[in-house]
Amino acid sequence: MNESHVDFFVIGAGSGGVRAARMAAAAGARVAVAEERALGGTCVNVGCIPKKLLVYASHVRAELADATDGYGFRAAEPDFDWPTLIANKNQEIERLNGIYQRLLEAAGVEIVRGRAVLTGPNAVRVGDRELTADHILVATGGWPAVPELPGAELGITSNEAFFLRELPRRVLIVGGGYIAVEFAGIFHGLGSEVIQLYRGPLFLRGFDDEVRRHLADEMRKQGVDLRFGANVTELAELGSAIRATLTDGSTVDVDTVLFATGRRPLTEGLGLAEAGVELGEGGEILVDEYSRSSVPSIHAIGDVTDRLALTPVAIHEAMCLSRTLFEGEPTAPDHENVPSAVFSPPPIGTVGLTETQARERYGEIDVYTSTFRALKHTLTKNTEQTFMKLVVDRASQRVVGLHMVGPEAGEIVQGFAVAIKCGATKAQFDATVGIHPTSAEELVTLREKRPDSE
Ligand code: NDP
């Protein structure tokens, strides 16, 4: 296929764009997708997948310590080689790039290599090729945002962190969101000295406050130098190192500065404004509940719309859009009770409302929490504590928020998210028999309500 008119033209072959293209093609549409970088987008190339591989690597040292401290293994101090890890990771990502290509080709989607620019409500240009389409989807994702400060160019973002030539001995991480805490865990676990700065009083704004405090305590116990109410004002070269000046006037000397200070929708230079597409203040494409922009033939999904910047959400939005446009079944994506995990050290798993949000929405709530040392660590020197929390609407007794900090939080909360999505009550949690001995069973055995005064 090398046509000048298609039913559906997708800009961006990331998680959302690829899924939309494949679903539309499966529904019988003629589809082309343009991509100027590697297939798979952020998640596959510089996000979820390589991040999780590095997170696995970052656990090994502590697991070896547990094995020798408590489980009778005798092992020498591990010798870690960063270039080997990065080479193995790169090989896996290239394999995934190939899988994405084959999936698109097998679905009959034409892959157009290059940067696509809108030239009208139904027209795009890629290089010197002009195409028209009944529907256009913008799924260009986001890009790391770096604050403007003297010497900022000496720092890197997550994009570059995945390809560092060597493991930095000292790392300064700026920011307090998902990416900042995940990279703090990766570098610390692999052996770097890590300082993490967050400009506010407590990182992970938007998460449950107890979860935030618990994670901060655990990270500090592990030896991450967390500094809240602190930011960087200037970076300067110091031989092969970088000297960072902080807001209190102090300085720190490090080998790498990682800005994890948010991501911006990638909408510049796409011809959006010229085509009449309305953008929000942060550059995001404004869409209605069916992911349609202010121009009826142009749609947008995923990070570029800045709704919920998560891969599975982009995929969900893609499937809803394909149903709406090509399967005769208008379907609005559902952004309620979306579970997520932060692969921090230890990880967070969360679904539903925080305690504060639940109090605002329902007024009276019941809160159940538990903090405990996992069975595994009764034999090790590891003092890690696991935290679990249920937030219950008092009137209906529905569990409206479930949060945990501890090993396998993502795996555990994924299952419980089904119960929350189904509107399960506390009594139904209690009627569920636990699996013993696990950490997860705690979530069905929480009996003591926190007194209202606390
Ligand atoms: P976030 O928006 O989560 O965090 C950005 C952080 O940077 C915040 O702590 C913010 O502070 C801080 N910040 C912003 N601007 C500045 C500044 N000028 N100076 C200092 N600090 C600043 O963005 P991330 O980049 O971490 O992640 C982007 C999105 O990607 C996430 O929101 C998430 O949706 C997704 N993601 C999901 C993952 C997962 O599911 N595990 C993993 C990684 C990313 P403040 O709070 O004060 O605004």
Side-chain angles (χ1 to χ4, degrees):
M1 187 170 77
N2 200 345
E3 308 191 24
S4 59
H5 180 83
V6 290
D7 300 316
F8 192 39
F9 191 90
V10 180
I11 307 180
S15 306
V18 166
R19 182 60 65 92
R22 286 174 54 207
M23 294 266 305
R30 280 171 305 160
V31 185
V33 56
E35 176 55 65
E36 59 176 330
R37 299 189 190 89
L39 297 179
T42 302
C43 176
V44 167
N45 294 286
V46 284
C48 328
I49 301 296
K51 178 276 306 290
K52 189 84 187 275
L53 295 173
L54 300 193
V55 167
Y56 284 128
S58 73
H59 290 167
V60 173
R61 199 182 291 272
E63 277 160 14
L64 285 173
D66 291 343
T68 51
D69 289 344
Y71 288 92
F73 284 81
R74 263 176 248 119
E77 181 62 18
D79 182 20
F80 169 67
D81 186 52
W82 168 269
T84 303
L85 171 63
I86 296 302
N88 292 349
K89 180 268 293 178
N90 290 346
Q91 201 179 356
E92 172 57 12
I93 301 309
E94 278 166 31
R95 190 182 73 84
L96 294 176
N97 295 145
I99 287 178
Y100 268 72
Q101 177 164 345
R102 285 192 292 281
L103 282 174
L104 287 166
E105 287 169 352
V109 174
E110 187 195 350
I111 303 169
V112 185
R113 296 284 184 174
R115 181 173 177 75
V117 179
L118 291 167
T119 51
N122 293 94
V124 289
R125 189 177 56 236
V126 189
D128 50 16
R129 191 167 157 203
E130 307 272 351
L131 290 104
T132 53
D134 292 344
H135 298 283
I136 294 171
L137 171 63
V138 184
T140 46
W143 199 254
V146 173
E148 280 179 28
L149 52 94
E153 68 284 355
L154 298 172
I156 61 166
T157 70
S158 51
N159 281 353
E160 295 76 43
F162 287 111
F163 299 96
L164 289 174
R165 298 170 75 87
E166 51 188 57
L167 179 71
R169 192 167 66 75
R170 301 159 302 178
V171 186
L172 177 69
I173 296 179
V174 187
Y178 280 77
I179 296 179
V181 294
E182 291 184 342
F183 270 102
I186 288 167
F187 284 123
H188 174 75
L190 293 175
S192 306
E193 287 170 29
V194 176
I195 302 172
Q196 183 183 346
L197 306 180
Y198 174 56
R199 60 184 177 180
L202 183 60
F203 63 7
L204 290 172
R205 188 162 58 82
F207 285 78
D208 187 86
D209 289 345
E210 278 179 288
V211 163
R212 301 161 76 193
R213 284 195 294 270
H214 187 89
L215 181 67
D217 290 347
E218 289 299 322
M219 286 178 69
R220 285 188 167 127
K221 256 174 24 191
Q222 288 182 23
V224 176
D225 182 352
L226 278 184
R227 304 189 192 178
F228 296 153
N231 208 346
V232 64
T233 58
E234 183 177 351
L235 300 181
E237 265 174 302
L238 185 79
S240 61
I242 301 168
R243 171 159 290 177
T245 307
L246 311 189
T247 30
D248 65 359
S250 65
T251 59
V252 292
D253 297 339
V254 294
D255 305 299
T256 298
V257 175
L258 170 62
F259 287 107
T261 42
R263 295 173 62 84
R264 243 184 244 128
L266 255 182
T267 47
E268 266 173 47
L270 283 176
L272 288 164
E274 295 81 344
V277 175
E278 270 180 45
L279 303 182
E281 274 177 19
E284 74 279 14
I285 298 180
L286 299 175
V287 290
D288 68 9
E289 57 173 328
Y290 295 103
S291 301
R292 190 167 61 167
S293 79
S294 54
V295 177
S297 57
I298 301 177
H299 314 266
I301 57 165
D303 291 5
V304 77
T305 61
D306 199 20
R307 288 178 280 185
L308 267 179
L310 298 169
T311 280
V313 172
I315 291 172
H316 170 65
E317 290 166 356
M319 298 202 290
C320 292
L321 183 70
S322 173
R323 269 182 221 134
T324 302
L325 296 180
F326 302 107
E327 295 162 52
E329 203 185 317
T331 310
D334 176 3
H335 295 106
E336 280 283 304
N337 286 325
V338 171
S340 81
V342 185
F343 296 98
S344 45
I348 296 173
T350 176
V351 59
L353 305 179
T354 66
E355 181 178 339
T356 309
Q357 290 166 338
R359 217 175 275 291
E360 277 167 17
R361 189 177 300 184
Y362 297 106
E364 300 213 310
I365 57 169
D366 295 334
V367 176
Y368 299 81
T369 61
S370 173
T371 305
F372 58 94
R373 192 174 184 201
L375 177 64
K376 176 182 177 186
H377 292 311
T378 55
L379 290 194
T380 73
K381 292 181 187 156
N382 192 324
T383 59
E384 181 178 273
Q385 298 274 312
T386 291
F387 174 73
M388 293 190 174
K389 178 167 184 173
L390 292 184
V391 182
V392 178
D393 165 29
R394 187 169 292 169
S396 68
Q397 280 302 298
R398 277 194 314 119
V399 180
V400 294
L402 184 151
H403 313 273
M404 83 165 268
V405 187
E408 306 301 353
E411 307 290 344
I412 292 170
V413 171
Q414 178 68 84
F416 277 100
V418 179
I420 304 289
K421 197 79 191 152
C422 294
T425 62
K426 178 67 169 62
Q428 288 168 323
F429 269 62
D430 296 346
T432 305
V433 175
I435 299 175
H436 189 69
T438 62
S439 292
E441 68 178 317
E442 198 71 14
L443 287 166
V444 294
T445 55
L446 287 166
R447 299 281 183 262
E448 288 291 307
K449 222 185 286 185
R450 204 169 62 195
D452 274 347
S453 54
E454 278 182 37

